[in-house]
Amino acid sequence: MNVYNENIVRLIRLYLAGSISDEEKAVLESWVEEREENRCFFKEMLRDNRFASEFPEFRDIDMEKGWSCFLNRTQARKSKLFTRVLKYVAAVVIPVAIGLAVWLAGKDVTLDPQQIGGVIYPGMNKATLILSDGVKVSLGKSEESEIRLEEGRRVRRTDGGLVYEDGGNGKKIELKYNTLQIPKGGEFHLTLSDGTRVTLNSATDLRYPVIFDENERRVFLSGEAYFEVATDSTRPFYVMTDEVQVQVYGTSFNVNTRRPEGIQTVLESGKVGIKAIRSGNECVLKPGELACFDPKDGSMAIRQVDPRQYLAWVKGVFAFEDETLENIMTTLSLWYDVEVFYQTESVKQLHFSGYLGRYKEIQNIFDVITEATGVLFSVKGRTIVISR
């Protein structure tokens, strides 16, 4: 049974926004009063300051102002406990669509060794750089150094990733490409020669010129990456995938080619144009919008979203909202470099909502999902077996 389900999260958000119906309000109030476990959950949240450290955006919330707004929109009839605990919830839930399982994610847990056989640690900074002549350079944790490229050029290896020198941009040159490959269980940061910054997620490849020419800036992506594109009005920036072209106008956005529903582009700021390569159909995104291209039928769907949910991985957080267990385990398998086996196929369609620390041991995440859904996890080497 899903104890902390996504419907309760939705009701809390509606309640605090003042747009909840009387019927929905009654459901939420009954939930708080019906079980001691629910009351304890709120008491724990009231005492806990973990959210401010794991989610920096919470630090700037005006709790008193948010609570006053909440009180003005709700009925005067509230129990003393309910009023006291929701004052804290107002400060936490308003800025982010936070799942109730966040509380569980931070608990110190001791798992049954028969259920969890061994420690599986999160991913780390690692990649393979493939130079234009085919030479491969392994990139892990290392001190600052320089890597020699073609024609005497160099790329610096720093604590922040790879940084390409900016000389030669805007001139007519022969393009020489490097490829950065991020394995499962890895992530990496890259600064391109024009100053564009890229954060690459696990199981991702990015192919890009060592120096951009005078006409355009074009890179090729497979996987997931977050881009902060340097503004250059004379040279458009393009992110190419197998199915879509993203044209950028000096902005920040996320592209993910691995989602089962299609290729997702989420715009944080600025402006991007999304073009289907086969049909040539193009749409323009505004900040806070998501475009999803379905390669099966060539359709492009656009909807309004909270970009923070889709960019949370860049800040070290898994953000799952009403996500199937199958999709969640696909994400975890890439980051923790594990294989997943389902003893019961039906568990794939269980839904879960929660914000979980990306740099925690995988046992912590298993415990949270077990609390919420009832599924069981066991580890055999680097294979995760899931049963009901």
Side-chain angles (χ1 to χ4, degrees):
M1 181 177 67
N2 194 341
V3 178
Y4 301 106
N5 61 66
E6 60 272 7
N7 185 53
I8 291 298
V9 177
R10 181 183 66 85
L11 291 180
I12 291 176
R13 295 207 307 268
L14 290 174
Y15 202 6
L16 297 175
S19 56
I20 193 169
S21 68
D22 290 341
E23 183 178 352
E24 289 170 326
K25 190 182 300 181
V27 172
L28 180 59
E29 290 176 348
S30 296
W31 180 82
V32 172
E33 296 172 358
E34 72 183 6
R35 298 179 61 182
E36 184 61 26
E37 181 180 356
N38 298 347
R39 291 178 181 270
C40 291
F41 166 74
F42 282 119
K43 288 180 181 179
E44 183 73 16
M45 288 186 69
L46 190 63
R47 293 193 299 267
D48 202 343
N49 63 1
R50 183 181 302 118
F51 300 103
S53 62
E54 292 197 5
F55 300 91
E57 51 265 46
F58 293 166
R59 298 172 188 157
D60 300 326
I61 297 301
D62 187 337
M63 184 185 295
E64 294 302 325
K65 183 177 179 181
W67 180 239
S68 297
C69 180
F70 166 67
L71 286 180
N72 290 336
R73 292 174 179 268
T74 57
Q75 296 178 345
R77 181 182 59 83
K78 299 288 180 293
S79 69
K80 182 178 179 181
L81 173 63
F82 192 53
T83 301
R84 181 164 58 90
V85 296
L86 277 183
K87 181 174 182 178
Y88 184 81
V89 176
V92 174
V93 181
I94 286 176
V96 180
I98 186 169
L100 297 183
V102 155
W103 170 65
L104 295 170
K107 287 170 46 177
D108 293 327
V109 295
T110 302
L111 300 180
D112 184 344
Q114 293 182 345
Q115 290 182 312
I116 302 299
V119 177
I120 296 178
Y121 293 100
M124 63 180 66
N125 231 23
K126 58 182 176 180
T128 298
L129 175 64
I130 304 177
L131 306 181
S132 61
D133 58 4
V135 172
K136 296 183 178 181
V137 181
S138 180
L139 304 173
K141 289 185 177 181
S142 65
E143 297 180 355
E144 291 198 12
S145 59
E146 287 190 341
I147 301 171
R148 290 184 175 273
L149 304 176
E150 305 79 1
E151 301 174 356
R153 297 192 181 280
R154 296 178 176 85
V155 57
R156 288 187 292 117
R157 172 72 170 97
T158 71
D159 289 340
L162 284 182
V163 180
Y164 282 75
E165 60 183 23
D166 60 1
N169 280 332
K171 299 179 180 179
K172 189 172 184 178
I173 58 173
E174 179 187 356
L175 294 179
K176 298 285 184 72
Y177 285 88
N178 284 180
T179 299
L180 196 58
Q181 294 183 335
I182 317 302
K184 292 176 66 175
E187 65 180 358
F188 214 77
H189 299 274
L190 170 68
T191 301
L192 298 171
S193 62
D194 66 333
T196 291
R197 292 179 295 181
V198 189
T199 303
L200 297 102
N201 208 346
S202 303
T204 295
D205 291 358
L206 186 71
R207 182 172 176 263
Y208 53 91
V210 172
I211 298 291
F212 293 109
D213 66 16
E214 61 185 349
N215 298 317
E216 63 180 24
R217 299 169 292 167
R218 189 178 297 264
V219 301
F220 301 84
L221 173 70
S222 174
E224 182 174 21
Y226 171 68
F227 293 83
E228 297 173 277
V229 176
T231 302
D232 186 338
S233 60
T234 63
R235 293 181 300 165
F237 192 102
Y238 299 96
V239 178
M240 308 297 298
T241 74
D242 288 342
E243 299 287 349
V244 302
Q245 168 188 286
V246 182
Q247 183 171 354
V248 187
Y249 305 89
T251 183
S252 57
F253 61 100
N254 195 81
V255 179
N256 188 347
T257 69
R258 295 195 300 250
R259 293 292 302 180
E261 59 268 36
I263 300 171
Q264 286 186 349
T265 303
V266 178
L267 181 59
E268 182 180 36
S269 65
K271 177 182 176 183
V272 298
I274 313 295
K275 178 186 289 187
I277 293 176
R278 283 181 289 177
S279 68
N281 294 333
E282 186 173 13
C283 62
V284 177
L285 289 189
K286 295 180 292 187
E289 288 186 334
L290 176 150
C292 184
F293 175 80
D294 187 344
K296 296 177 183 177
D297 60 14
S299 63
M300 184 87 71
I302 299 175
R303 70 177 188 270
Q304 195 76 26
V305 297
D306 183 347
R308 288 175 296 190
Q309 178 185 348
Y310 298 86
L311 305 179
W313 70 272
V314 180
K315 297 183 179 181
V317 177
F318 290 117
F320 302 124
E321 185 159 353
D322 195 22
E323 194 79 69
T324 66
L325 183 60
E326 183 176 22
N327 288 348
I328 290 171
M329 291 309 301
T330 296
T331 298
L332 296 180
S333 71
L334 295 176
W335 179 235
Y336 288 93
D337 190 12
V338 295
E339 300 298 326
V340 180
F341 176 77
Y342 297 89
Q343 283 190 338
T344 309
E345 286 290 310
S346 61
V347 302
K348 291 182 178 181
Q349 298 309 310
L350 291 174
H351 285 243
F352 173 84
S353 294
Y355 278 53
L356 312 174
R358 182 173 157 93
Y359 296 103
K360 294 180 180 294
E361 294 178 12
I362 201 169
Q363 290 95 326
N364 293 336
I365 295 178
F366 289 162
D367 187 63
V368 172
I369 297 175
T370 296
E371 289 269 3
T373 66
V375 300
L376 300 176
F377 299 87
S378 62
V379 177
K380 301 182 185 300
R382 298 200 68 83
T383 299
I384 310 300
V385 180
I386 304 177
S387 60
R388 195 71 189 264

